[in-house]
Amino acid sequence: MSKSISTFCFSLSAIAVTSWGQIVHAAPLQSVSPKHIQHLGLDQKLSNHELDSQRHTINQCRIDSNCPEIQSSHTTASGWNETQRQALQQAIDHSLFYLSTPKAAQSYRKYANSDFNLDRVKRSLVRFKELLLTTDSPIALSQAVKEEFVFYQSVGKDRQGKVDFTGYFEPTYTASRVRTEEYRYPLYRKPANFDRWTSPHPTRAQLEGKDGLAENKSVLKGQELVWLSDRLEAFLIQVQGSAKLNLTDGSTMTVGYGGTTNYPYVSIGKELVNDGLFELEELSLPKVLDYFATHPQELDRYIPRNKRFVFFRETGGKPPTGSLGVPVTGDRSIATDKSLMPPGALALIVAPIPDLESTENIKPRLVSRYVLDQDTGSAIKGAGRVDIFLGSGDVAGERAGRINGSGNLFYLLLKE
């Protein structure tokens, strides 16, 4: 959400994803040869035949003279998934709104003499939206985009295009407006005098206690916004940066990011790996939840290791909002390092994204997907990190917690 907090940030392991050409320059984004783009399938989620098209969506060979030609099935028309088309349009509209603001004008001053200047980014979105609404199939959209747009690839963490992906979501939990014996773990508002706090700030343990129940001993007494019954749920809301809360009085509350102390984020999932409790390759949010469900006493040991503390504000039912000040859209919004990447811009990710299958199983699949760069996060640093927003609720949480792989990130600009 605004300055989103990435899901656990597991220092992810790689899967076999194509590196689209050698990248040797220091700039975070480099243009990609059109012949390489011809081997890139574009967003099967927009199709009504998403699963059937998966087998030919991405050509996973190395891009060189020996790479086979695209299969003829790439030219087979398929119908739109209208729900997905509308979601992508909505995300585009949110970026266009941001790009019309003084905040965007200020942010894009550093891009004034580059390919990613404000006017070109905005025109690129306008044209892509036109194509999205007027082409007769996702395949036709893919062909038009390849003809009219230039692709720029992130150099990634290895200067060869490798990008680690994580996922975040808006959790839904039960909470209480008042403290009770059951609901005793609070979320806090940012104190009015927070800007006058001396540095370094108090640690998490100093603010909430080693067990999360500092109560009267905390300088935050009186800043309680709402109480939860589960300490790990309260912590995960800080990780995600927002939540939808079903209150015990029958009403609902939405909360969003309100500020944070000046410590780096520490992943408790990674801490479990460092202590030898899991292998990195097997780590996922469900595994972490299962571990603490059977070892609840360990929460007092691991949660305080993340000294960073997040404050919240009530958002009045508004959808989760990214750092650009516009809502984020499930499967269509990403968070990147905004000191490097163009805010609000159109992008394409090639990454292992877990989806809910017809069998009700959640299975990671290598996909390509159009996204809008609308958020950032304390753990999202460098050209080799992307956090994708996967929506709200339990299924979104299951999907976000199972992202564990590497892929590629491209930005799209309309040809001059």
Side-chain angles (χ1 to χ4, degrees):
M1 314 319 163
S2 183
K3 299 187 182 297
S4 71
I5 312 301
S6 169
T7 302
F8 283 98
C9 304
F10 289 138
S11 300
L12 304 174
S13 59
I15 64 168
V17 179
T18 305
S19 293
W20 304 90
Q22 190 81 7
I23 297 173
V24 296
H25 302 292
L29 296 172
Q30 295 293 323
S31 60
V32 181
S33 167
K35 70 177 182 179
H36 294 159
I37 296 306
Q38 293 306 310
H39 296 280
L40 181 65
L42 302 185
D43 206 332
Q44 71 282 6
K45 198 172 185 68
L46 288 172
S47 169
N48 272 332
H49 307 292
E50 178 184 351
L51 295 179
D52 292 339
S53 66
Q54 174 62 21
R55 66 184 183 276
H56 61 72
T57 298
I58 302 171
N59 196 327
Q60 293 185 67
C61 63
R62 186 168 182 81
I63 301 304
D64 57 29
S65 59
N66 297 318
C67 190
E69 295 298 320
I70 298 174
Q71 301 297 317
S72 60
S73 54
H74 271 282
T75 62
T76 302
S78 59
W80 289 103
N81 180 322
E82 288 298 339
T83 299
Q84 284 298 321
R85 181 153 68 161
Q86 290 172 16
L88 181 54
Q89 179 187 343
Q90 180 184 61
I92 294 168
D93 288 342
H94 290 153
S95 274
L96 286 172
F97 175 84
Y98 161 75
L99 292 169
S100 68
T101 64
K103 180 179 179 180
Q106 174 68 29
S107 296
Y108 270 89
R109 285 181 180 176
K110 65 181 180 181
Y111 295 104
N113 297 317
S114 75
D115 291 345
F116 284 87
N117 59 75
L118 179 59
D119 178 67
R120 191 175 178 189
V121 170
K122 191 182 302 184
R123 286 189 290 108
S124 299
L125 280 182
V126 169
R127 179 55 181 161
F128 181 85
K129 180 181 175 181
E130 289 175 351
L131 293 172
L132 178 67
L133 297 180
T134 59
T135 49
D136 59 13
S137 72
I139 298 301
L141 173 65
S142 169
Q143 293 170 338
V145 167
K146 289 177 181 180
E147 291 173 0
E148 297 190 31
F149 286 76
V150 181
F151 286 64
Y152 293 77
Q153 185 180 7
S154 169
V155 298
K157 61 188 293 185
D158 59 353
R159 314 305 298 178
Q160 306 250 346
K162 179 182 177 182
V163 175
D164 287 342
F165 283 81
T166 50
Y168 66 112
F169 71 108
E170 180 188 46
T172 300
Y173 296 129
T174 301
S176 172
R177 290 186 185 274
V178 296
R179 190 195 187 284
T180 69
E181 187 61 31
E182 179 180 1
Y183 294 90
R184 54 195 182 127
Y185 298 101
L187 301 180
Y188 290 97
R189 302 177 185 87
K190 185 171 72 173
N193 67 347
F194 180 73
D195 291 342
R196 298 193 297 276
W197 282 19
T198 57
S199 185
H201 290 159
T203 65
R204 172 181 296 277
Q206 291 170 328
L207 290 173
E208 68 175 11
K210 183 178 178 181
D211 61 358
L213 296 171
E215 300 186 35
N216 295 340
K217 299 177 182 179
S218 175
V219 297
L220 296 178
K221 178 175 171 55
Q223 302 303 319
E224 297 89 352
L225 181 63
V226 68
W227 279 261
L228 288 97
S229 62
D230 186 291
R231 186 184 183 191
L232 188 54
E233 288 181 356
F235 177 76
L236 289 177
I237 294 174
Q238 294 201 26
V239 173
Q240 302 305 326
S242 72
K244 185 181 297 181
L245 302 173
N246 297 318
L247 301 178
T248 55
D249 62 10
S251 62
T252 60
M253 175 190 291
T254 55
V255 296
Y257 175 92
T260 186
T261 55
N262 59 2
Y263 289 97
Y265 173 78
V266 173
S267 161
I268 63 172
K270 187 175 180 181
E271 289 298 296
L272 292 171
V273 171
N274 292 341
D275 288 351
L277 295 168
F278 295 108
E279 295 295 327
L280 182 62
E281 293 75 16
E282 66 178 334
L283 193 60
S284 67
L285 180 55
K287 269 197 171 296
V288 171
L289 297 178
D290 288 344
Y291 176 79
F292 286 117
T294 55
H295 303 83
Q297 72 281 359
E298 291 291 271
L299 289 172
D300 294 352
R301 177 184 177 190
Y302 283 97
I303 286 181
R305 293 189 186 183
N306 180 22
K307 296 180 181 180
R308 186 182 184 92
F309 197 82
V310 179
F311 303 106
F312 291 90
R313 57 186 176 82
E314 194 167 354
T315 58
K318 293 181 179 178
T321 299
S323 61
L324 304 189
V326 298
V328 287
T329 304
D331 282 284
R332 298 298 174 185
S333 297
I334 60 171
T336 64
D337 186 342
K338 290 299 178 290
S339 70
L340 299 174
M341 302 305 175
L346 175 67
L348 179 84
I349 59 173
V350 178
I353 305 296
D355 274 320
L356 185 65
E357 306 286 343
S358 58
T359 59
E360 300 300 314
N361 293 321
I362 294 176
K363 181 180 179 181
R365 294 186 289 116
L366 186 63
V367 303
S368 57
R369 192 155 298 164
Y370 295 113
V371 293
L372 284 302
D373 193 341
Q374 297 172 328
D375 206 354
T376 191
S378 60
I380 310 301
K381 302 298 182 184
R385 285 285 287 111
V386 169
D387 210 12
I388 179 170
F389 179 66
L390 292 177
S392 302
D394 293 342
V395 172
E398 284 282 328
R399 294 177 62 214
R402 293 175 186 272
I403 295 182
N404 188 0
S406 299
N408 303 127
L409 169 66
F410 303 87
Y411 288 84
L412 283 66
L413 284 180
L414 195 62
K415 291 178 180 178
E416 296 285 27

